[in-house]
């Protein structure tokens, strides 16, 4: 044994020493299948890395920040201009927060497409959805803290959107995040949520999710190439998987640093009611899609969830049933058309009911998509629905960005939402048709 | 000497230089802060490359030349960024 150790290099001996003392490769953590060693499978881990970067930079800023309306902006400005590397820390904090939202969304949608939500990982999906909500909560609460004219105006718009939730929910959320204390109370609540409540909740959920991940292991590969790979081939958690993850984290960190170096932040003016009047308020980019939906003239203001919602629900049901019937009969174009119509009606209902339903559907996905099929090519309905969902979010967000403060006529909203759904549905139909033709070249003959 | 070891030596040299340069910067000057971010990026990227080469060597699979070239390309981008920022 000693001779064998002697034969290894110094690096290998160091790795063995660290491993033996810390017990890193003790079989507490299961090894990872080799097919899972690709960046797409680690988007969730990168989201956690982003959270860690945010925690470090956030704690550094916390040393100087004062959460009162009178001092929030001046303390932010002090960090920016006087504190060593203050501008760098603020810039990296903001860009990493944006990256965390993007990574969370990419992680969720990748999971949706490759069926990670299926048995036995339903609860992991639910916990992940809660974590996604908390991530958005981080972004929402953190944006107000610098108390700049842009951040305060954007938060006011987003808080205004809460009033369009169903009434009991609107009152509860409004009480929780704004409270009765005016600007001072609002800022303090946002600060408390941002640095105590949300991190604690995220960490608890992270532990729960990691426990379930360890119990069930990484989900099975959804691609043919992945399934073909020998599942018995695994990599140990230390050093292989640990180093792999650290490499990904280092590359991600480099990207954030480079972005921060090339596009450093400039602090906008501080908030006063006068300066606020000179800006067209808009929420930050991750809420633009919601902002745009609520700007559509038919849906402005609360209390619209009445007859139109009931009619849209009925039409959604009929479209979905027709779509399933057409798919079963092999009439794909009509099936996709039904699906696009269902999505358009679904979006209408979602708008009318205050977007609650859309998230309820995503949250309950494991109980809606119960089929055993995992492969993307065998799940046309859900894959198409997911693609339409992503496209709608992107289109609505961009549309919201270029039309700040502008009320959108109902017909225009319906045309864009429905048109996007129809286009993506058609594209998906062509892609699935092409994939089927390639799978069975003799089928059409 | 193996090619992987030569690359590691070169990367370590760049990392040491970057780390030493970090201490010469003015921490409140905006341009210096941008250079600081870039040098820190070089250190992180260097770590990723050394770790990758170690894993490849340990797994006896050999490293992928395209990946190492991508890493070198990123180094070049970071170094160019410094020139741009100074």
């Amino acid at each position: 044994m000693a001779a064998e150790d002697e034969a290894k290099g110094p690096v290998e001996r160091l790795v063995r020493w660290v491993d033996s003392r810390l017990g890193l490769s003790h079989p507490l953590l299961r090894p990872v299948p080799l097919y899972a060693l690709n960046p797409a499978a680690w988007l969730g881990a990168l989201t956690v890395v982003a959270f860690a970067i945010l925690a470090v930079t956030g704690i550094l800023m916390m040393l100087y920040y004062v959460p009162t309306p009178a001092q929030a902006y001046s303390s932010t400005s002090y960090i920016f201009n006087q504190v060593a590397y203050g501008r760098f820390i603020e810039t990296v904090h903001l860009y990493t927060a944006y990256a965390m939202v993007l990574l969370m969304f990419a992680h969720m949608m990748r999971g949706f497409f490759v069926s990670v939500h299926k048995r036995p990982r339903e609860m992991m999906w639910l916990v992940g959805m809660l974590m996604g909500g908390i991530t958005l909560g981080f972004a929402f609460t953190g944006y107000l803290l610098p108390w700049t004219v842009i951040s305060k105006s954007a938060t006011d718009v987003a808080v205004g959107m809460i009033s369009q939730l169903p009434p009991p929910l609107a009152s509860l959320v409004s009480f929780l995040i704004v409270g009765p204390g005016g600007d001072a109370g609002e800022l303090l609540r946002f600060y408390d949520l941002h640095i105590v409540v949300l991190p604690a909740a995220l960490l608890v959920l992270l532990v729960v999710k990691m426990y379930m991940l360890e119990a069930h292991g990484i989900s099975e590969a959804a691609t043919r190439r992945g399934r073909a790979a020998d599942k018995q081939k695994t990599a140990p958690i230390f050093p292989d998987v640990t180093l792999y993850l650290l490499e990904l984290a280092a590359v991600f960190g480099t990207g954030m640093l480079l972005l921060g170096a090339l596009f450093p932040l400039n602090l906008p003016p501080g908030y006063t009611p006068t300066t606020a009047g000179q800006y067209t308020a808009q929420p930050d980019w991750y809420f633009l899609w919601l902002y745009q939906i609520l700007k559509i003239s038919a849906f402005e203001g609360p209390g619209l969830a009445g007859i139109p919602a009931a009619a849209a629900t009925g039409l959604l049901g009929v479209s979905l049933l027709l779509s399933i019937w057409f798919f079963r009969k092999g009439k794909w174009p009509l099936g996709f058309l039904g699906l696009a119509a269902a999505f358009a009606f679904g979006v209408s209902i979602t708008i009318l009911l205050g977007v609650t339903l859309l998230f309820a559907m995503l949250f309950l996905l494991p109980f809606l998509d119960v089929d055993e099929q995992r492969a993307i090519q065998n799940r046309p309905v859900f894959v198409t629905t997911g693609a339409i969902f992503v496209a709608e979010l992107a289109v609505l967000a961009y549309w919201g960005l270029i039309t700040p403060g502008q009320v959108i006529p109902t017909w225009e909203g319906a045309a864009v939402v429905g048109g996007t759904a129809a286009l993506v549905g058609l594209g998906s139909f062509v892609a699935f048709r092409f994939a089927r033709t390639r799978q069975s070249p003799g089928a059409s003959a | 000497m193996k090619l992987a070891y030569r690359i590691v030596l070169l990367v370590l040299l760049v990392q040491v230089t970057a780390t030493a340069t970090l201490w010469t910067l003015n921490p409140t000057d905006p341009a210096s802060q941008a250079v600081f971010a870039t040098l820190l990026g070089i250190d992180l990227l260097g770590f990723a490359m050394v770790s990758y080469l170690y894993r490849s060597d340990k797994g006896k699979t050999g490293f992928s030349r395209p990946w190492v070239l991508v890493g070198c390309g990123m180094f070049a981008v970071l170094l160019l960024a410094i020139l741009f920022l100074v």
Side-chain angles (χ1 to χ4, degrees):
Chain A
M1 186 68 186
E4 191 187 325
D5 274 353
E6 206 59 41
K8 303 278 183 191
V11 178
E12 189 67 18
R13 283 209 302 277
L14 177 68
V15 170
R16 280 178 177 228
W17 187 89
V18 171
D19 181 24
S20 67
R21 277 11 174 229
L22 298 180
L24 293 170
S25 62
H26 186 270
L28 178 70
L29 295 174
R30 63 164 78 201
V32 172
L34 284 186
Y35 67 78
L37 284 189
N38 76 77
W42 297 90
L43 291 170
L46 282 180
T47 312
V48 178
V49 169
F51 175 63
I53 296 173
L54 289 170
V56 172
T57 50
I59 288 168
L60 290 174
M61 289 194 289
M62 212 168 73
L63 300 175
Y64 302 95
Y65 179 75
V66 185
T68 62
Q71 293 183 73
Y73 182 75
S74 56
S75 58
T76 307
S77 179
Y78 177 77
I79 297 170
F80 222 76
N81 298 312
Q82 305 294 321
V83 173
Y85 298 113
R87 180 190 293 253
F88 158 73
I89 292 167
E90 291 228 18
T91 304
V92 170
H93 191 81
L94 181 75
Y95 288 164
T96 310
Y98 286 165
M100 186 176 171
V101 173
L102 275 177
L103 283 167
M104 176 272 291
F105 183 72
H107 178 52
M108 179 183 80
M109 289 318 295
R110 185 221 170 235
F112 178 96
F113 286 121
V114 303
S115 305
V116 298
H117 53 276
K118 296 200 171 178
R119 198 174 60 167
R121 298 182 183 83
E122 294 95 330
M123 294 306 290
M124 283 180 74
W125 176 268
L126 298 188
V127 172
M129 287 299 292
L130 287 177
M131 292 171 82
I134 290 175
T135 306
L136 283 179
F138 266 121
F140 178 55
T141 52
Y143 199 62
L144 176 70
L145 301 185
W147 210 251
T148 65
V149 63
I150 292 174
S151 71
K152 172 72 170 109
S153 308
T155 308
D156 284 347
V157 171
V159 169
M161 293 189 319
I162 291 168
S163 66
Q164 284 169 284
L165 286 169
L169 198 59
S171 310
L172 179 69
V173 176
S174 180
F175 170 75
L176 284 175
I177 66 169
V178 182
D183 279 353
E186 183 188 35
L187 181 59
L188 197 58
R189 283 197 185 204
F190 271 56
Y191 183 66
D192 292 343
L193 285 168
H194 193 71
I195 67 158
V196 180
V197 180
L198 295 175
L202 192 70
L203 285 172
V204 169
L205 290 174
L206 182 64
V207 170
V208 172
K209 200 171 179 209
M210 286 303 98
Y211 180 80
M212 287 191 281
L213 176 68
E214 199 45 35
H216 301 308
I218 285 182
S219 71
E220 295 81 3
T223 61
R224 242 178 298 164
R225 200 175 61 175
R227 280 196 306 280
D230 186 0
K231 286 183 184 170
Q232 300 305 313
K233 283 185 183 166
T234 57
I237 205 81
F238 184 83
D240 298 49
V241 178
T242 309
L243 283 179
Y244 181 75
L245 180 56
L246 287 174
E247 285 161 29
L248 285 181
V251 172
F252 168 71
T254 306
M256 290 296 102
L257 289 167
L258 187 61
L259 265 181
L262 294 178
F263 308 104
L265 282 183
N266 287 309
L267 196 62
Y271 170 79
T272 61
T274 319
T275 50
Q278 295 160 2
Y279 283 82
T280 307
Q282 239 185 344
D284 213 6
W285 61 268
Y286 38 82
F287 284 131
L288 276 175
W289 60 276
L290 182 58
Y291 168 67
Q292 186 64 4
I293 287 174
L294 296 174
K295 283 200 299 157
I296 295 173
S297 60
F299 310 121
E300 275 202 315
L304 283 160
I307 296 165
T313 310
L315 288 168
L316 167 74
V318 171
S319 308
L320 267 180
L321 285 174
L322 277 174
S323 162
I324 292 167
W325 188 74
F326 282 131
F327 274 120
R328 291 222 163 134
K329 291 279 172 196
K331 294 177 178 171
W332 284 53
L334 289 171
F336 276 101
L337 196 65
L339 201 59
F343 195 86
F345 292 128
V347 168
S348 307
I349 299 166
T350 305
I351 293 162
L352 289 162
L353 297 181
V355 198
T356 318
L357 193 65
L358 183 69
F359 283 97
M361 283 169 71
L362 255 181
F363 195 80
L364 296 173
L365 181 70
F367 310 105
L368 301 172
D369 183 15
V370 288
D371 200 318
E372 286 294 317
Q373 286 289 353
R374 282 176 185 275
I376 291 169
Q377 63 269 27
N378 296 332
R379 298 170 58 233
V381 176
F382 279 96
V383 170
T384 306
T385 310
I388 291 174
F389 174 64
V390 175
E392 295 285 8
L393 287 187
V395 167
L396 285 167
Y398 179 68
W399 198 16
L401 182 73
I402 59 172
T403 57
Q406 202 176 309
V407 176
I408 306 297
T410 306
W411 67 266
E412 206 178 317
V416 172
V417 170
T420 306
L423 272 179
V424 177
L426 187 69
S428 180
F429 163 69
V430 173
F432 273 99
R433 192 83 181 169
F434 180 68
R436 283 202 166 196
T437 316
R438 283 194 62 177
Q439 255 181 343
S440 51
S444 57
Chain B
M1 197 198 278
K2 274 183 172 178
L3 181 59
Y5 293 166
R6 286 186 202 172
I7 298 171
V8 167
L9 272 180
L10 195 65
V11 169
L12 288 176
L13 190 69
V14 175
Q15 278 185 302
V16 169
T17 314
T19 311
T21 316
L22 285 178
W23 296 96
T24 67
L25 299 169
N26 173 3
T28 51
D29 172 47
S32 295
Q33 292 189 37
V35 174
F36 176 82
T38 316
L39 292 171
L40 218 54
I42 286 176
D43 279 341
L44 280 177
L45 186 64
F47 165 78
M49 280 187 74
V50 172
S51 169
Y52 172 68
L53 289 167
Y54 165 74
R55 276 196 309 122
S56 313
D57 191 53
K58 180 177 163 284
K60 299 191 172 34
T61 51
F63 62 85
S64 148
R65 277 172 192 262
W67 276 123
V68 172
L69 281 176
V70 167
C72 293
M74 282 178 75
F75 263 123
V77 169
L78 289 165
L79 291 169
L80 278 176
I82 292 177
L83 291 179
F84 173 73
L85 293 165
V86 171

